[in-house]
Amino acid sequence: MDKLKKKGSDEVSYNDDYLSNDNLNINWYPGHMKKTKELVQNNLKLVDVVIELLDARIPLSSKNPDIDKLVGSKPRIVLLNKSDLCKKEDLDEWVQYYLNLGIKAIPINAMNGNGINKVISECREVSKETMEKFIQKGRKARAIRIMIVGVPNVGKSSLINKLSGKKSTQTGDRPGITKGKQWVKIKGDMELLDTPGILWPKFDNQEVAVNLAFTRAIKDEILDIETLGLKLIERISDLAPEDLIKRYKIDEVGPQPIDTMEAIGKKRGFLVGKNELDYTRIALTVLNEFREGKIGNITLEKPSNISENLEK
């Protein structure tokens, strides 16, 4: 490994410069995402309500900055998905933040359906004025039309399946599963226009890009997994060190992220040969266990971070 250099048979040093923001060099904008943005623009006039689906662990990073401009004054609901992986007090902060903006934010779990009934009732509420005007014009009542937007792997397909009460779309823990436009009938005489996930042309803020990589909105296959895992260990060491200690049964978080990474590897017995640690396996384990909530309920962003992150 270039970044993890052996100094002896079992001693490893880490080049701290490798932790700088530019090392992952995330700059990703597949062609289908450009097409999806155009799809949203072209079909927005057909819908009554826009559901913006965010990852509750990273509401800022999982928010597409193009959405505000695209949606404009169209009625919008924010859903904080994967809320089961966050602490309640952190969720409450985000709900209040959006309330201050005049937007209803609803914590949900798209996998088990928690919060789905609130989503349906809120869609009815925010579209009430539009539906009343529709009828006042002497036109026949129709289903409320909804569009869901969100970055890849945020849980759109799972949400649609819960809203429709059946398996209408393909799901998977890989970004980019949903490929094209789909109209889906959902509960309460509503229709939903699904779109693939959208990312933006470039990541001006690499911290945002790394947060998306932590939650697998960006494919692991295009990243340096060892560095990504190390960055996650560094972040959790700052936010919730006790969770790392408890999960991996280590004595303490080390003075450097690499020390903690090696302690985890030794506890788990992740070795190649007699003395060399398997850093790839350590990184993948920490990443996957964070994504599954096994390390603890950890929110990587809070409303207090917003001005700081946007101004970087």
Side-chain angles (χ1 to χ4, degrees):
M1 309 174 197
D2 292 334
K3 53 198 174 297
L4 297 169
K5 297 181 179 179
K6 295 187 69 175
K7 294 195 297 184
S9 60
D10 59 357
E11 187 178 4
V12 178
S13 66
Y14 188 81
N15 181 359
D16 288 336
D17 291 339
Y18 208 89
L19 277 174
S20 65
N21 280 340
D22 295 333
N23 286 308
L24 285 172
N25 193 28
I26 301 172
N27 190 351
W28 189 53
Y29 195 49
H32 81 269
M33 292 185 181
K34 180 177 183 294
K35 293 178 182 178
T36 300
K37 181 177 177 180
E38 295 170 351
L39 185 67
V40 171
Q41 290 174 316
N42 295 336
N43 290 280
L44 196 60
K45 60 182 178 294
L46 302 177
V47 302
D48 306 304
V49 183
V50 174
I51 291 177
E52 184 179 11
L53 189 60
L54 305 178
D55 187 319
R57 298 165 297 178
I58 52 167
L60 174 61
S61 294
S62 61
K63 176 181 177 60
N64 189 316
D66 291 333
I67 293 301
D68 289 341
K69 293 179 182 178
L70 287 172
V71 173
S73 59
K74 184 78 66 173
R76 186 187 349 172
I77 303 168
V78 168
L79 302 186
L80 300 171
N81 192 28
K82 307 183 183 182
S83 60
D84 56 307
L85 301 178
C86 302
K87 290 183 174 66
K88 184 180 184 302
E89 56 265 32
D90 294 333
L91 285 171
D92 290 343
E93 279 192 46
W94 279 109
V95 170
Q96 185 60 49
Y97 166 79
Y98 276 103
L99 187 61
N100 293 341
L101 295 179
I103 299 174
K104 184 70 173 286
I106 304 173
I108 69 164
N109 182 337
M111 292 298 293
N112 65 17
N114 185 35
I116 297 301
N117 289 337
K118 292 181 181 179
V119 175
I120 295 173
S121 61
E122 189 61 23
C123 285
R124 288 190 172 282
E125 182 62 29
V126 299
S127 63
K128 184 183 298 184
E129 184 177 345
T130 301
M131 292 297 101
E132 288 176 353
K133 289 181 180 179
F134 194 80
I135 294 174
Q136 287 171 4
K137 292 180 180 179
R139 302 174 69 177
K140 184 179 179 180
R142 61 163 174 76
I144 297 172
R145 293 173 179 169
I146 300 165
M147 176 188 290
I148 293 180
V149 293
V151 299
N153 205 40
V154 75
K156 294 190 310 303
S157 295
S158 296
L159 173 61
I160 293 169
N161 292 340
K162 289 298 180 184
L163 286 171
S164 64
K166 58 185 178 181
K167 191 170 183 179
S168 304
T169 62
Q170 184 181 8
T171 63
D173 185 25
R174 297 196 315 279
I177 287 287
T178 308
K179 295 298 184 184
K181 182 173 74 173
Q182 302 180 73
W183 281 102
V184 180
K185 289 187 177 181
I186 62 176
K187 299 173 183 177
D189 191 28
M190 298 183 185
E191 293 178 346
L192 186 147
L193 174 64
D194 180 37
T195 60
I198 313 170
L199 286 180
W200 37 99
K202 61 179 178 178
F203 300 105
D204 293 322
N205 185 331
Q206 282 289 299
E207 184 174 342
V208 169
V210 170
N211 284 338
L212 289 167
F214 287 157
T215 57
R216 214 169 192 266
I218 299 172
K219 295 178 181 179
D220 285 345
E221 290 79 4
I222 70 169
L223 302 173
D224 178 345
I225 289 300
E226 292 178 15
T227 302
L228 185 64
L230 190 64
K231 283 178 176 285
L232 180 58
I233 289 171
E234 180 182 36
R235 185 75 65 83
I236 299 176
S237 295
D238 290 337
L239 294 173
E242 66 284 354
D243 288 338
L244 276 178
I245 293 170
K246 182 178 179 180
R247 176 63 185 173
Y248 297 107
K249 298 179 173 58
I250 56 179
D251 296 330
E252 60 183 357
V253 294
Q256 298 295 328
I258 189 63
D259 299 317
T260 306
M261 188 179 201
E262 291 177 348
I264 291 171
K266 290 173 183 176
K267 276 290 184 180
R268 288 290 178 95
F270 293 161
L271 302 173
V272 287
K274 290 185 177 181
N275 297 312
E276 187 176 345
L277 287 168
D278 187 339
Y279 292 94
T280 299
R281 189 177 177 190
I282 300 168
L284 283 171
T285 296
V286 173
L287 284 164
N288 289 334
E289 293 191 353
F290 164 74
R291 293 163 179 170
E292 295 166 5
K294 292 180 178 179
I295 297 176
N297 291 347
I298 301 171
T299 306
L300 298 179
E301 295 176 332
K302 296 184 180 182
S304 57
N305 302 143
I306 287 182
S307 59
E308 175 186 340
N309 278 275
L310 291 179
E311 292 171 3
K312 284 184 179 180

